[in-house]
Amino acid sequence: MLEEHEFESRLKWLVNLRWIGILSVLVTTHVVREIEFLTFPLLPVYSILGVASLYNLFFWWKLRAPREGYKGLAIGQILLDQFTLALAMYFSGGIGSPFVYFFIFHVVISGLLLSFRHTMAIALLAVLFPATVAGLRHFSVLPYFGIFKEEPVIFTNLTVMAGYGAAYIGTLFFTAYFTAYLSKKQFEGSVKLSTLLEASRLTTSTLELERILSESLKVVLHITKLKVGIVFLLDQKESGRCYDFFECKVFDCPAYKAEVNCWMLPDTKCPDHDTAKSFDTKVRRCASCDYFADTVLIPRMTKGFDGNGHLIERMKLNNATIKQALLTGYTIIGTGVDLPSPVPFTAVTEIAMPLLVRQQLVGVLYLASHEAQSYTEDNKAFFHLLAEVLSAGVLSGRLYEDLESSYLQTVTALSNAIEAKDPYTRGHTERVAKICLAIAEAVQLSAQEKERLQFAAILHDVGKIGISKEILGKEATLTAGEGDSVQTHPDIGVQILQPVVFLRPILSTIRHHHERFDGAGYPSGLRGKEIPYLARILGIADAWDSMLSNRPYRQALSVKEAAQELRRNAGSQFDPELVEVFLKTLA
Protein backbone atom coordinates (compact mmCIF):
# COMPACT_ATOMS: atom_id res chain seq x y z
CA MET A 1 0.00 0.00 0.00
CA LEU A 2 1.15 3.50 -0.82
CA GLU A 3 2.31 5.97 1.82
CA GLU A 4 -0.35 8.50 2.82
CA HIS A 5 1.29 11.48 1.12
CA GLU A 6 1.77 9.52 -2.13
CA PHE A 7 -1.83 8.28 -2.00
CA GLU A 8 -3.06 11.84 -1.55
CA SER A 9 -0.96 13.07 -4.48
CA ARG A 10 -2.28 10.39 -6.85
CA LEU A 11 -5.90 10.98 -5.82
CA LYS A 12 -5.54 14.69 -6.53
CA TRP A 13 -4.09 13.79 -9.92
CA LEU A 14 -7.14 11.57 -10.57
CA VAL A 15 -9.55 14.40 -9.67
CA ASN A 16 -7.75 16.79 -12.03
CA LEU A 17 -7.75 14.15 -14.77
CA ARG A 18 -11.49 13.71 -14.35
CA TRP A 19 -12.05 17.44 -14.85
CA ILE A 20 -10.09 17.22 -18.10
CA GLY A 21 -12.12 14.17 -19.18
CA ILE A 22 -15.45 15.87 -18.45
CA LEU A 23 -14.45 18.96 -20.44
CA SER A 24 -13.12 16.83 -23.33
CA VAL A 25 -16.36 14.81 -23.60
CA LEU A 26 -18.43 18.00 -23.50
CA VAL A 27 -16.46 19.53 -26.38
CA THR A 28 -16.23 16.29 -28.39
CA THR A 29 -20.00 15.71 -28.12
CA HIS A 30 -20.79 18.90 -30.02
CA VAL A 31 -18.17 18.11 -32.68
CA VAL A 32 -19.19 14.49 -33.48
CA ARG A 33 -22.90 15.35 -33.36
CA GLU A 34 -22.45 17.08 -36.72
CA ILE A 35 -21.35 13.81 -38.43
CA GLU A 36 -24.15 12.57 -40.71
CA PHE A 37 -24.43 8.89 -39.64
CA LEU A 38 -24.40 9.73 -35.90
CA THR A 39 -27.39 10.87 -33.94
CA PHE A 40 -28.05 11.34 -30.22
CA PRO A 41 -29.85 13.76 -27.90
CA LEU A 42 -27.81 16.03 -25.63
CA LEU A 43 -29.88 15.54 -22.45
CA PRO A 44 -28.31 12.15 -21.44
CA VAL A 45 -24.84 13.56 -22.14
CA TYR A 46 -25.42 16.61 -19.96
CA SER A 47 -26.98 14.46 -17.21
CA ILE A 48 -24.04 12.05 -17.07
CA LEU A 49 -21.48 14.86 -17.16
CA GLY A 50 -23.43 16.68 -14.43
CA VAL A 51 -23.37 13.63 -12.14
CA ALA A 52 -19.62 13.15 -12.77
CA SER A 53 -18.98 16.83 -12.03
CA LEU A 54 -20.90 16.66 -8.74
CA TYR A 55 -19.05 13.68 -7.29
CA ASN A 56 -15.73 14.99 -8.61
CA LEU A 57 -16.41 18.28 -6.82
CA PHE A 58 -17.15 16.28 -3.65
CA PHE A 59 -13.83 14.40 -3.84
CA TRP A 60 -11.95 17.62 -4.61
CA TRP A 61 -13.40 19.11 -1.43
CA LYS A 62 -12.49 15.99 0.58
CA LEU A 63 -8.87 16.21 -0.54
CA ARG A 64 -8.38 19.86 0.37
CA ALA A 65 -7.05 18.97 3.85
CA PRO A 66 -4.82 16.05 4.93
CA ARG A 67 -6.82 13.12 6.24
CA GLU A 68 -6.75 9.39 6.89
CA GLY A 69 -8.59 6.76 4.87
CA TYR A 70 -7.41 7.58 1.34
CA LYS A 71 -8.01 3.97 0.34
CA GLY A 72 -11.78 4.39 0.82
CA LEU A 73 -11.77 7.59 -1.24
CA ALA A 74 -9.90 5.83 -4.06
CA ILE A 75 -12.32 2.90 -4.17
CA GLY A 76 -15.30 5.24 -4.03
CA GLN A 77 -14.03 7.32 -6.96
CA ILE A 78 -13.31 4.30 -9.16
CA LEU A 79 -16.68 2.64 -8.45
CA LEU A 80 -18.57 5.84 -9.26
CA ASP A 81 -16.52 6.22 -12.43
CA GLN A 82 -17.36 2.67 -13.50
CA PHE A 83 -21.08 3.20 -12.91
CA THR A 84 -20.92 6.48 -14.86
CA LEU A 85 -19.05 4.73 -17.68
CA ALA A 86 -21.74 2.02 -17.80
CA LEU A 87 -24.38 4.73 -18.32
CA ALA A 88 -22.25 6.48 -20.94
CA MET A 89 -21.69 3.14 -22.66
CA TYR A 90 -25.43 2.42 -22.87
CA PHE A 91 -26.35 5.86 -24.17
CA SER A 92 -23.53 5.81 -26.77
CA GLY A 93 -24.13 2.42 -28.36
CA GLY A 94 -23.49 -0.38 -25.85
CA ILE A 95 -20.55 -2.67 -26.58
CA GLY A 96 -19.81 -0.71 -29.69
CA SER A 97 -19.31 2.43 -27.58
CA PRO A 98 -15.82 3.92 -27.30
CA PHE A 99 -16.47 4.28 -23.55
CA VAL A 100 -15.94 0.51 -23.13
CA TYR A 101 -12.20 1.12 -23.43
CA PHE A 102 -12.30 3.58 -20.54
CA PHE A 103 -12.94 0.59 -18.25
CA ILE A 104 -9.44 -0.64 -19.14
CA PHE A 105 -8.10 2.82 -18.36
CA HIS A 106 -9.71 2.67 -14.92
CA VAL A 107 -8.13 -0.71 -14.24
CA VAL A 108 -4.75 0.94 -14.89
CA ILE A 109 -5.63 3.68 -12.40
CA SER A 110 -6.66 1.02 -9.83
CA GLY A 111 -3.26 -0.63 -10.20
CA LEU A 112 -1.56 2.69 -9.47
CA LEU A 113 -3.66 3.30 -6.34
CA LEU A 114 -4.76 0.00 -4.82
CA SER A 115 -3.36 -3.38 -3.86
CA PHE A 116 -3.21 -6.33 -6.26
CA ARG A 117 -6.35 -7.86 -4.72
CA HIS A 118 -8.36 -4.65 -5.09
CA THR A 119 -7.10 -4.13 -8.64
CA MET A 120 -8.34 -7.58 -9.66
CA ALA A 121 -11.71 -6.86 -8.04
CA ILE A 122 -12.01 -3.63 -10.04
CA ALA A 123 -11.09 -5.58 -13.20
CA LEU A 124 -13.91 -8.02 -12.46
CA LEU A 125 -16.36 -5.13 -12.11
CA ALA A 126 -15.04 -3.76 -15.41
CA VAL A 127 -16.27 -7.03 -16.94
CA LEU A 128 -19.58 -7.18 -15.11
CA PHE A 129 -20.72 -3.61 -15.88
CA PRO A 130 -20.34 -3.87 -19.70
CA ALA A 131 -21.65 -7.47 -19.69
CA THR A 132 -24.78 -6.37 -17.82
CA VAL A 133 -25.45 -3.57 -20.28
CA ALA A 134 -24.81 -5.87 -23.29
CA GLY A 135 -27.00 -8.67 -21.89
CA LEU A 136 -29.91 -6.43 -21.01
CA ARG A 137 -29.71 -4.82 -24.42
CA HIS A 138 -29.42 -8.14 -26.32
CA PHE A 139 -32.49 -9.62 -24.66
CA SER A 140 -34.39 -6.33 -25.24
CA VAL A 141 -34.77 -5.53 -21.55
CA LEU A 142 -33.30 -2.15 -22.42
CA PRO A 143 -34.28 -0.37 -25.62
CA TYR A 144 -31.63 0.42 -28.18
CA PHE A 145 -30.10 3.80 -27.48
CA GLY A 146 -26.93 4.63 -29.30
CA ILE A 147 -25.03 7.10 -31.35
CA PHE A 148 -25.41 5.02 -34.55
CA LYS A 149 -28.63 5.26 -36.61
CA GLU A 150 -28.34 1.54 -37.46
CA GLU A 151 -27.82 -0.97 -34.63
CA PRO A 152 -24.35 -2.60 -35.01
CA VAL A 153 -24.15 -6.36 -35.63
CA ILE A 154 -22.16 -6.85 -32.45
CA PHE A 155 -25.40 -6.47 -30.47
CA THR A 156 -27.40 -8.98 -32.53
CA ASN A 157 -24.94 -11.88 -32.95
CA LEU A 158 -24.02 -13.88 -29.80
CA THR A 159 -20.95 -15.45 -31.44
CA VAL A 160 -19.50 -12.06 -32.28
CA MET A 161 -20.35 -10.82 -28.79
CA ALA A 162 -18.60 -13.83 -27.20
CA GLY A 163 -15.43 -13.40 -29.28
CA TYR A 164 -15.34 -9.67 -28.68
CA GLY A 165 -15.96 -10.21 -24.96
CA ALA A 166 -13.22 -12.85 -24.61
CA ALA A 167 -10.65 -10.54 -26.21
CA TYR A 168 -11.84 -7.69 -23.96
CA ILE A 169 -11.67 -9.81 -20.77
CA GLY A 170 -8.20 -11.15 -21.61
CA THR A 171 -6.89 -7.66 -22.31
CA LEU A 172 -8.50 -6.33 -19.13
CA PHE A 173 -7.04 -8.87 -16.69
CA PHE A 174 -3.63 -8.85 -18.34
CA THR A 175 -3.58 -5.06 -18.00
CA ALA A 176 -4.68 -5.32 -14.34
CA TYR A 177 -1.94 -7.83 -13.48
CA PHE A 178 0.80 -6.01 -15.34
CA THR A 179 -0.12 -2.58 -13.91
CA ALA A 180 -0.39 -3.88 -10.32
CA TYR A 181 2.99 -5.63 -10.66
CA LEU A 182 4.76 -2.55 -12.03
CA SER A 183 3.13 -0.31 -9.42
CA LYS A 184 4.25 -2.63 -6.62
CA LYS A 185 7.83 -2.68 -7.90
CA GLN A 186 7.86 1.10 -8.33
CA PHE A 187 6.44 1.58 -4.84
CA GLU A 188 8.95 -0.81 -3.25
CA GLY A 189 11.81 1.04 -4.94
CA SER A 190 10.42 4.36 -3.78
CA VAL A 191 9.99 3.09 -0.20
CA LYS A 192 13.54 1.70 -0.12
CA LEU A 193 15.00 4.96 -1.40
CA SER A 194 13.00 7.09 1.04
CA THR A 195 13.91 4.74 3.90
CA LEU A 196 17.63 4.99 3.12
CA LEU A 197 17.38 8.78 2.85
CA GLU A 198 15.55 8.91 6.19
CA ALA A 199 18.17 6.65 7.78
CA SER A 200 20.99 8.80 6.37
CA ARG A 201 19.31 11.97 7.64
CA LEU A 202 18.93 10.37 11.06
CA THR A 203 22.59 9.40 11.33
CA THR A 204 23.77 12.91 10.48
CA SER A 205 21.17 15.03 12.30
CA THR A 206 21.98 14.09 15.89
CA LEU A 207 24.62 12.55 18.11
CA GLU A 208 22.18 11.64 20.91
CA LEU A 209 22.42 7.86 21.17
CA GLU A 210 18.95 7.35 22.65
CA ARG A 211 17.31 9.27 19.82
CA ILE A 212 19.36 7.42 17.19
CA LEU A 213 18.37 4.05 18.68
CA SER A 214 14.70 5.01 18.95
CA GLU A 215 14.45 6.34 15.40
CA SER A 216 16.45 3.40 14.01
CA LEU A 217 13.98 0.94 15.52
CA LYS A 218 11.07 2.93 14.15
CA VAL A 219 12.54 2.83 10.63
CA VAL A 220 13.30 -0.91 10.58
CA LEU A 221 10.00 -1.94 12.16
CA HIS A 222 8.15 0.04 9.51
CA ILE A 223 10.05 -1.43 6.57
CA THR A 224 10.00 -5.04 7.88
CA LYS A 225 6.36 -4.91 9.09
CA LEU A 226 7.36 -6.69 12.32
CA LYS A 227 5.79 -5.95 15.70
CA VAL A 228 8.57 -5.55 18.27
CA GLY A 229 12.22 -4.58 18.20
CA ILE A 230 15.22 -4.44 20.52
CA VAL A 231 18.56 -2.73 20.04
CA PHE A 232 21.29 -4.75 21.72
CA LEU A 233 24.65 -3.05 22.22
CA LEU A 234 27.86 -4.89 22.98
CA ASP A 235 28.99 -4.58 26.57
CA GLN A 236 32.44 -3.10 26.04
CA LYS A 237 33.41 -3.61 29.68
CA GLU A 238 32.79 -7.36 29.67
CA SER A 239 33.84 -8.35 26.16
CA GLY A 240 37.45 -8.64 25.18
CA ARG A 241 38.80 -8.27 21.68
CA CYS A 242 38.81 -11.07 19.20
CA TYR A 243 42.60 -11.37 19.25
CA ASP A 244 42.54 -12.04 23.00
CA PHE A 245 41.06 -15.47 22.39
CA PHE A 246 43.57 -17.10 20.05
CA GLU A 247 47.31 -17.15 19.57
CA CYS A 248 48.09 -15.04 16.53
CA LYS A 249 51.74 -15.50 15.61
CA VAL A 250 51.45 -13.77 12.25
CA PHE A 251 52.32 -10.20 13.19
CA ASP A 252 51.27 -8.70 9.85
CA CYS A 253 47.91 -10.50 9.92
CA PRO A 254 45.03 -8.00 9.31
CA ALA A 255 43.01 -9.79 11.97
CA TYR A 256 45.36 -8.65 14.72
CA LYS A 257 43.40 -6.43 17.13
CA ALA A 258 40.21 -6.91 15.11
CA GLU A 259 36.99 -6.43 17.07
CA VAL A 260 35.09 -9.36 15.56
CA ASN A 261 35.04 -11.80 12.63
CA CYS A 262 38.80 -12.00 12.26
CA TRP A 263 38.51 -14.40 9.32
CA MET A 264 36.39 -11.92 7.31
CA LEU A 265 39.25 -9.49 6.80
CA PRO A 266 41.21 -9.79 3.52
CA ASP A 267 44.23 -12.11 3.52
CA THR A 268 43.64 -13.19 7.08
CA LYS A 269 45.51 -16.30 8.26
CA CYS A 270 44.08 -16.38 11.76
CA PRO A 271 43.01 -18.07 13.90
CA ASP A 272 43.87 -21.31 12.13
CA HIS A 273 46.60 -20.27 9.67
CA ASP A 274 44.49 -21.98 6.99
CA THR A 275 43.00 -19.75 4.31
CA ALA A 276 41.81 -22.72 2.24
CA LYS A 277 38.94 -23.54 4.57
CA SER A 278 35.42 -22.96 3.33
CA PHE A 279 33.10 -20.21 4.51
CA ASP A 280 30.89 -22.64 6.47
CA THR A 281 33.89 -24.28 8.10
CA LYS A 282 35.20 -20.92 9.29
CA VAL A 283 31.78 -19.94 10.63
CA ARG A 284 31.53 -23.17 12.61
CA ARG A 285 35.03 -22.67 13.98
CA CYS A 286 34.31 -19.09 15.03
CA ALA A 287 31.03 -20.19 16.61
CA SER A 288 33.05 -22.20 19.13
CA CYS A 289 35.50 -19.36 19.74
CA ASP A 290 35.67 -18.09 23.33
CA TYR A 291 35.11 -14.56 22.01
CA PHE A 292 31.50 -15.31 21.18
CA ALA A 293 31.03 -17.42 24.28
CA ASP A 294 31.99 -14.40 26.41
CA THR A 295 30.12 -11.77 24.37
CA VAL A 296 27.47 -9.93 26.39
CA LEU A 297 24.64 -7.93 24.81
CA ILE A 298 22.72 -5.24 26.67
CA PRO A 299 19.23 -4.11 25.53
CA ARG A 300 19.36 -0.32 25.19
CA MET A 301 16.11 0.46 23.36
CA THR A 302 12.82 -1.36 22.74
CA LYS A 303 9.68 -0.65 20.74
CA GLY A 304 6.41 -2.53 20.54
CA PHE A 305 6.49 -3.73 24.17
CA ASP A 306 4.12 -2.65 26.93
CA GLY A 307 7.10 -2.24 29.20
CA ASN A 308 10.69 -3.30 29.77
CA GLY A 309 10.18 -5.31 32.97
CA HIS A 310 10.16 -8.67 31.21
CA LEU A 311 13.44 -8.03 29.38
CA ILE A 312 16.69 -9.32 30.79
CA GLU A 313 19.27 -6.65 31.53
CA ARG A 314 22.15 -8.65 30.06
CA MET A 315 22.10 -11.43 27.50
CA LYS A 316 24.74 -13.94 26.54
CA LEU A 317 25.05 -14.69 22.84
CA ASN A 318 22.75 -17.74 22.90
CA ASN A 319 20.01 -16.86 20.42
CA ALA A 320 20.91 -18.70 17.20
CA THR A 321 19.62 -16.00 14.83
CA ILE A 322 21.54 -13.22 16.57
CA LYS A 323 24.66 -15.35 16.85
CA GLN A 324 24.59 -16.27 13.17
CA ALA A 325 24.13 -12.60 12.20
CA LEU A 326 27.18 -11.57 14.23
CA LEU A 327 29.26 -14.48 12.95
CA THR A 328 28.54 -13.87 9.29
CA GLY A 329 28.21 -10.09 9.45
CA TYR A 330 24.98 -10.24 7.42
CA THR A 331 21.27 -9.84 8.14
CA ILE A 332 19.73 -13.18 9.14
CA ILE A 333 16.02 -13.99 8.87
CA GLY A 334 14.95 -16.76 11.26
CA THR A 335 11.79 -18.70 11.98
CA GLY A 336 11.84 -18.20 15.72
CA VAL A 337 12.34 -21.90 16.52
CA ASP A 338 15.77 -21.33 18.06
CA LEU A 339 15.48 -20.81 21.78
CA PRO A 340 15.99 -18.97 24.02
CA SER A 341 14.45 -15.87 22.44
CA PRO A 342 14.88 -12.30 23.73
CA VAL A 343 11.11 -11.69 23.45
CA PRO A 344 8.46 -13.01 25.86
CA PHE A 345 6.42 -14.77 23.14
CA THR A 346 6.96 -17.41 20.50
CA ALA A 347 8.52 -15.52 17.61
CA VAL A 348 7.29 -16.91 14.29
CA THR A 349 9.47 -14.49 12.34
CA GLU A 350 12.67 -12.86 13.58
CA ILE A 351 15.34 -10.73 11.95
CA ALA A 352 18.81 -9.96 13.29
CA MET A 353 20.71 -7.07 11.70
CA PRO A 354 24.32 -6.82 12.89
CA LEU A 355 25.59 -3.31 13.57
CA LEU A 356 29.13 -3.40 12.22
CA VAL A 357 31.32 -0.50 11.14
CA ARG A 358 34.73 -1.31 9.64
CA GLN A 359 34.60 -4.76 11.20
CA GLN A 360 33.91 -3.20 14.61
CA LEU A 361 30.93 -4.76 16.34
CA VAL A 362 28.57 -2.17 17.78
CA GLY A 363 25.52 -4.33 18.48
CA VAL A 364 22.54 -5.88 16.77
CA LEU A 365 19.01 -4.86 15.80
CA TYR A 366 16.66 -7.70 16.73
CA LEU A 367 13.09 -7.69 15.36
CA ALA A 368 10.35 -10.24 15.90
CA SER A 369 6.66 -10.94 15.39
CA HIS A 370 4.19 -13.69 16.25
CA GLU A 371 2.92 -13.43 12.67
CA ALA A 372 4.62 -15.04 9.66
CA GLN A 373 6.33 -12.71 7.18
CA SER A 374 8.16 -13.65 4.00
CA TYR A 375 11.05 -11.72 2.45
CA THR A 376 12.85 -12.02 -0.87
CA GLU A 377 16.61 -12.01 -1.34
CA ASP A 378 16.25 -8.39 -2.52
CA ASN A 379 14.56 -7.54 0.79
CA LYS A 380 17.34 -9.26 2.72
CA ALA A 381 20.05 -7.37 0.81
CA PHE A 382 18.20 -4.09 1.45
CA PHE A 383 17.93 -4.83 5.18
CA HIS A 384 21.69 -5.39 5.28
CA LEU A 385 22.32 -2.08 3.49
CA LEU A 386 19.95 -0.29 5.87
CA ALA A 387 21.74 -1.82 8.87
CA GLU A 388 25.07 -0.53 7.56
CA VAL A 389 23.69 3.01 7.30
CA LEU A 390 22.19 2.87 10.80
CA SER A 391 25.37 1.29 12.21
CA ALA A 392 27.34 4.43 11.41
CA GLY A 393 24.85 6.55 13.34
CA VAL A 394 24.81 4.19 16.34
CA LEU A 395 28.60 4.10 16.42
CA SER A 396 28.79 7.91 16.25
CA GLY A 397 26.21 8.20 19.02
CA ARG A 398 28.08 5.75 21.20
CA LEU A 399 31.41 7.48 20.63
CA TYR A 400 29.77 10.81 21.52
CA GLU A 401 28.27 9.22 24.64
CA ASP A 402 31.73 7.90 25.61
CA LEU A 403 33.20 11.36 24.99
CA GLU A 404 30.56 12.96 27.23
CA SER A 405 31.33 10.38 29.89
CA SER A 406 35.01 11.25 29.64
CA TYR A 407 34.16 14.93 30.02
CA LEU A 408 32.11 14.18 33.12
CA GLN A 409 34.91 12.09 34.59
CA THR A 410 37.35 14.95 33.94
CA VAL A 411 35.00 17.43 35.56
CA THR A 412 34.48 15.13 38.55
CA ALA A 413 38.24 14.75 38.95
CA LEU A 414 38.59 18.54 39.17
CA SER A 415 35.77 18.63 41.71
CA ASN A 416 37.46 15.96 43.82
CA ALA A 417 40.62 18.07 43.85
CA ILE A 418 38.64 20.91 45.43
CA GLU A 419 36.96 18.70 48.02
CA ALA A 420 40.31 17.16 48.98
CA LYS A 421 41.35 20.66 50.06
CA ASP A 422 38.20 21.32 52.07
CA PRO A 423 37.03 18.15 53.93
CA TYR A 424 33.89 19.95 55.18
CA THR A 425 32.53 20.16 51.62
CA ARG A 426 33.22 16.52 50.66
CA GLY A 427 30.26 15.26 48.56
CA HIS A 428 28.85 18.81 48.36
CA THR A 429 29.21 19.21 44.58
CA GLU A 430 27.63 15.81 43.88
CA ARG A 431 24.62 16.64 46.08
CA VAL A 432 24.27 20.11 44.53
CA ALA A 433 24.29 18.54 41.06
CA LYS A 434 21.44 16.18 42.04
CA ILE A 435 19.39 19.07 43.44
CA CYS A 436 20.00 21.13 40.29
CA LEU A 437 18.82 18.26 38.05
CA ALA A 438 15.67 17.84 40.15
CA ILE A 439 14.83 21.54 39.69
CA ALA A 440 15.77 21.34 35.99
CA GLU A 441 13.35 18.43 35.56
CA ALA A 442 10.57 20.39 37.29
CA VAL A 443 11.03 23.45 35.06
CA GLN A 444 11.44 21.22 31.96
CA LEU A 445 14.88 22.31 30.82
CA SER A 446 16.24 20.77 27.63
CA ALA A 447 18.72 17.88 27.72
CA GLN A 448 21.55 20.24 26.75
CA GLU A 449 20.66 22.73 29.49
CA LYS A 450 20.51 19.89 32.05
CA GLU A 451 23.96 18.72 31.05
CA ARG A 452 25.39 22.24 31.31
CA LEU A 453 23.75 22.75 34.69
CA GLN A 454 25.18 19.44 35.93
CA PHE A 455 28.70 20.39 34.85
CA ALA A 456 28.34 23.86 36.39
CA ALA A 457 27.12 22.33 39.68
CA ILE A 458 30.10 19.98 39.87
CA LEU A 459 32.59 22.75 39.08
CA HIS A 460 30.94 25.75 40.73
CA ASP A 461 33.54 25.88 43.53
CA VAL A 462 36.64 25.00 41.47
CA GLY A 463 37.95 28.51 42.09
CA LYS A 464 38.45 27.65 45.77
CA ILE A 465 41.68 25.96 44.68
CA GLY A 466 43.08 29.50 44.66
CA ILE A 467 41.87 30.29 48.22
CA SER A 468 44.02 29.62 51.27
CA LYS A 469 43.21 26.37 53.09
CA GLU A 470 43.38 28.26 56.40
CA ILE A 471 40.67 30.66 55.26
CA LEU A 472 38.41 27.85 53.97
CA GLY A 473 38.72 25.93 57.26
CA LYS A 474 38.56 28.91 59.63
CA GLU A 475 36.02 28.43 62.41
CA ALA A 476 35.94 32.06 63.52
CA THR A 477 34.30 34.92 61.64
CA LEU A 478 36.27 35.93 58.56
CA THR A 479 37.89 39.33 58.43
CA ALA A 480 36.88 41.78 55.70
CA GLY A 481 40.00 40.91 53.70
CA GLU A 482 39.40 37.16 54.10
CA GLY A 483 35.79 37.61 53.01
CA ASP A 484 36.91 39.51 49.92
CA SER A 485 39.34 36.70 49.16
CA VAL A 486 36.59 34.04 49.33
CA GLN A 487 34.39 36.15 47.05
CA THR A 488 37.01 35.91 44.30
CA HIS A 489 36.51 32.15 43.86
CA PRO A 490 33.85 32.45 41.07
CA ASP A 491 36.20 34.57 38.95
CA ILE A 492 39.16 32.29 39.73
CA GLY A 493 37.05 29.31 38.65
CA VAL A 494 36.22 30.99 35.35
CA GLN A 495 39.90 31.75 34.75
CA ILE A 496 40.83 28.10 35.39
CA LEU A 497 38.11 26.70 33.10
CA GLN A 498 38.33 29.31 30.32
CA PRO A 499 40.86 27.33 28.19
CA VAL A 500 38.57 24.24 28.17
CA VAL A 501 36.40 24.77 25.08
CA PHE A 502 33.55 22.40 25.95
CA LEU A 503 33.13 24.09 29.37
CA ARG A 504 32.79 27.65 28.05
CA PRO A 505 28.94 27.57 27.93
CA ILE A 506 28.84 27.05 31.73
CA LEU A 507 31.24 29.86 32.68
CA SER A 508 28.49 32.47 33.21
CA THR A 509 26.60 30.06 35.48
CA ILE A 510 29.71 29.51 37.61
CA ARG A 511 30.62 33.22 37.68
CA HIS A 512 27.19 34.39 38.86
CA HIS A 513 25.91 31.62 41.19
CA HIS A 514 26.53 33.89 44.22
CA GLU A 515 24.55 36.84 42.83
CA ARG A 516 21.48 37.87 44.86
CA PHE A 517 18.02 38.59 43.48
CA ASP A 518 18.09 42.04 45.19
CA GLY A 519 21.46 42.92 43.58
CA ALA A 520 23.55 42.64 46.75
CA GLY A 521 25.50 39.55 45.62
CA TYR A 522 28.89 39.10 44.00
CA PRO A 523 30.97 39.37 41.85
CA SER A 524 28.92 41.66 39.52
CA GLY A 525 25.96 42.77 41.64
CA LEU A 526 23.41 41.53 39.08
CA ARG A 527 19.73 41.93 40.02
CA GLY A 528 16.61 39.83 39.35
CA LYS A 529 16.31 38.43 35.83
CA GLU A 530 19.74 39.87 34.96
CA ILE A 531 21.18 36.83 36.72
CA PRO A 532 21.48 33.89 34.29
CA TYR A 533 18.65 31.40 34.78
CA LEU A 534 20.94 28.42 35.42
CA ALA A 535 22.93 30.48 37.92
CA ARG A 536 19.71 31.21 39.85
CA ILE A 537 18.97 27.47 40.02
CA LEU A 538 22.54 26.70 41.10
CA GLY A 539 22.40 29.42 43.78
CA ILE A 540 19.35 27.78 45.42
CA ALA A 541 20.84 24.26 45.24
CA ASP A 542 24.19 25.45 46.63
CA ALA A 543 22.59 27.32 49.52
CA TRP A 544 20.24 24.41 50.33
CA ASP A 545 23.04 21.84 50.63
CA SER A 546 25.19 24.30 52.58
CA MET A 547 22.40 24.84 55.13
CA LEU A 548 22.02 21.07 55.59
CA SER A 549 25.79 20.52 56.05
CA ASN A 550 28.04 21.05 59.03
CA ARG A 551 30.52 23.87 58.49
CA PRO A 552 33.48 25.05 60.64
CA TYR A 553 31.51 28.08 61.79
CA ARG A 554 28.06 26.47 62.42
CA GLN A 555 26.05 23.26 62.73
CA ALA A 556 23.72 21.99 59.99
CA LEU A 557 20.08 23.14 59.94
CA SER A 558 17.15 20.74 59.84
CA VAL A 559 15.18 20.36 56.60
CA LYS A 560 12.31 22.31 58.12
CA GLU A 561 14.60 25.15 59.22
CA ALA A 562 16.32 25.25 55.82
CA ALA A 563 12.94 25.44 54.03
CA GLN A 564 11.92 28.34 56.27
CA GLU A 565 15.22 30.08 55.50
CA LEU A 566 14.63 29.69 51.75
CA ARG A 567 11.12 31.17 52.02
CA ARG A 568 12.40 34.04 54.19
CA ASN A 569 15.03 34.96 51.58
CA ALA A 570 12.85 34.42 48.50
CA GLY A 571 12.79 37.69 46.57
CA SER A 572 15.89 39.04 48.30
CA GLN A 573 18.60 36.38 47.91
CA PHE A 574 16.75 33.86 45.69
CA ASP A 575 14.40 33.89 42.72
CA PRO A 576 10.98 33.50 44.42
CA GLU A 577 9.48 31.48 41.54
CA LEU A 578 12.33 28.97 41.59
CA VAL A 579 12.13 28.71 45.38
CA GLU A 580 8.48 27.64 45.07
CA VAL A 581 9.36 25.14 42.36
CA PHE A 582 12.14 23.66 44.50
CA LEU A 583 10.01 23.40 47.65
CA LYS A 584 7.22 21.66 45.68
CA THR A 585 9.81 19.28 44.26
CA LEU A 586 11.18 18.71 47.76
CA ALA A 587 7.71 17.94 49.07
Side-chain angles (χ1 to χ4, degrees), residues 474-544:
K474 186 175 180 179
E475 297 184 6
T477 303
L478 297 178
T479 65
E482 291 171 337
D484 290 340
S485 177
V486 170
Q487 290 185 8
T488 63
H489 80 270
D491 280 329
I492 295 174
V494 169
Q495 292 171 15
I496 293 171
L497 301 176
Q498 179 72 37
V500 185
V501 176
F502 84 92
L503 292 177
R504 286 177 185 172
I506 70 171
L507 296 184
S508 64
T509 304
I510 291 174
R511 183 190 296 274
H512 299 296
H513 74 278
H514 278 297
E515 305 285 357
R516 290 174 55 101
F517 207 70
D518 58 8
Y522 63 88
S524 303
L526 300 182
R527 178 188 302 271
K529 300 298 174 70
E530 295 175 351
I531 307 170
Y533 191 67
L534 298 187
R536 282 179 265 156
I537 294 176
L538 178 55
I540 292 173
D542 186 32
W544 177 260

Side-chain angles (χ1 to χ4, degrees), residues 14-35:
L14 181 57
V15 167
N16 293 332
L17 187 64
R18 194 176 291 112
W19 287 125
I20 295 172
I22 290 169
L23 183 61
S24 299
V25 171
L26 185 62
V27 173
T28 305
T29 296
H30 289 274
V31 174
V32 302
R33 195 164 179 265
E34 302 300 322
I35 300 175

